[in-house]
Amino acid sequence: RKSLTAVLPTFTAILPTFTAMQVLVLSFTGISSTGMRTLVPALRQLTRLITLDISYNRDIRDHGLESLAHILPLLKAMKVLNLMRTGISDRGISALVKALPHLVELQELNVSYNNIGDSGIVSLVQTLCQPSSLDTGHNRAGDKNLTTSPHYNNTLQELYIEENSGVTGAGLGRVAQLISALPALTELHMSGDYNTPAHLSDTAAMALAETLPRHLDLERLSLRDISMEPSRFQAVVQAAEGHPTLEELWYSKDRVPEGADTSASCLRLN
């Protein structure tokens, strides 16, 4: 893939003519925040778009994501959105969170390897857990189910939030407590940051162990660059090993508690 910079005006001029386009991959194309602003008017015409991949374009940053988020509500067919390594932080996530409730078909979201912090990552997951928020206006006045019924997202299947430089154990701990509202997950990558590994509290680690059995379709779970107390580590591994569909639990070898049992067949150490 080559940089789009030189041909962006031409590209954005012809892009809207492909009205039936469903997949658009622009990773490694050198798009900047300015480029995203140029591209957005064309993207808004692609209402049948199912997959948008703009990963590995670090200069998109928050301003670029803000431009994209403004038109995401128009792309209601979106199922896959890849924002990996786009240089975004909490500010960009704040804009994305406002658009997410409109993407009711979203099955896969990747915001890994960015600069998102605890506030952004928790806000993101909280929003993903409540897809029905747009429907509240359609409920009858006085409908008690509106406030008493739990919210679940039965559409999202893959969530990648790993390796974000601002995320700490506190943020990931909150995520661990929230993900029970995402029962359709098949893949969850919530690793800490390589340079500043996260430590899960006892409460968070147990919440994670207790929620795993509720994710009946979960196949892969990545907890690399995360540490936890020996008994909590063992509880998570045991929950993973006893899971009917979980094939792989990824964990950093140098974060394994001393003397812990690592014989579980699903455990992958690296």
Side-chain angles (χ1 to χ4, degrees), residues 24 49-53 77-82 105-110:
L24 181 58
L49 201 62
I50 292 176
T51 298
L52 177 60
D53 183 349
M78 185 80 68
K79 293 184 177 181
V80 178
L81 180 59
N82 192 343
E105 301 294 329
L106 192 66
Q107 297 178 3
E108 178 182 331
L109 177 63
N110 192 334

Side-chain angles (χ1 to χ4, degrees), residues 116-235:
I116 306 168
D118 286 345
S119 175
I121 219 68
V122 171
S123 176
L124 177 70
V125 176
Q126 284 177 326
T127 302
L128 290 170
C129 289
Q130 301 187 50
S132 59
S133 59
L134 283 180
D135 298 328
T136 56
H138 301 292
N139 284 274
R140 296 186 304 274
D143 188 347
K144 294 182 179 180
N145 289 331
L146 181 62
T147 56
T148 60
S149 297
H151 291 283
Y152 294 98
N153 182 333
N154 293 305
T155 304
L156 192 70
Q157 298 175 9
E158 299 183 24
L159 179 60
Y160 304 83
I161 58 174
E162 61 188 338
E163 298 289 346
N164 273 286
S165 60
V167 172
T168 69
L172 291 179
R174 184 66 181 123
V175 169
Q177 295 171 327
L178 289 168
I179 57 172
S180 60
L182 301 171
L185 287 177
T186 60
E187 295 213 19
L188 174 60
H189 295 242
M190 53 177 283
S191 301
D193 180 63
Y194 177 80
N195 295 313
T196 54
H199 182 78
L200 280 190
S201 68
D202 288 354
T203 300
M206 288 309 297
L208 180 59
E210 291 169 1
T211 195
L212 287 184
R214 302 173 195 167
H215 292 81
L216 300 179
D217 299 317
L218 192 63
E219 298 175 359
R220 292 177 185 82
L221 173 62
S222 179
L223 301 175
R224 292 177 295 186
D225 296 312
I226 289 177
S227 63
M228 58 187 86
E229 296 304 312
S231 62
R232 301 321 189 206
F233 170 81
Q234 219 64 69

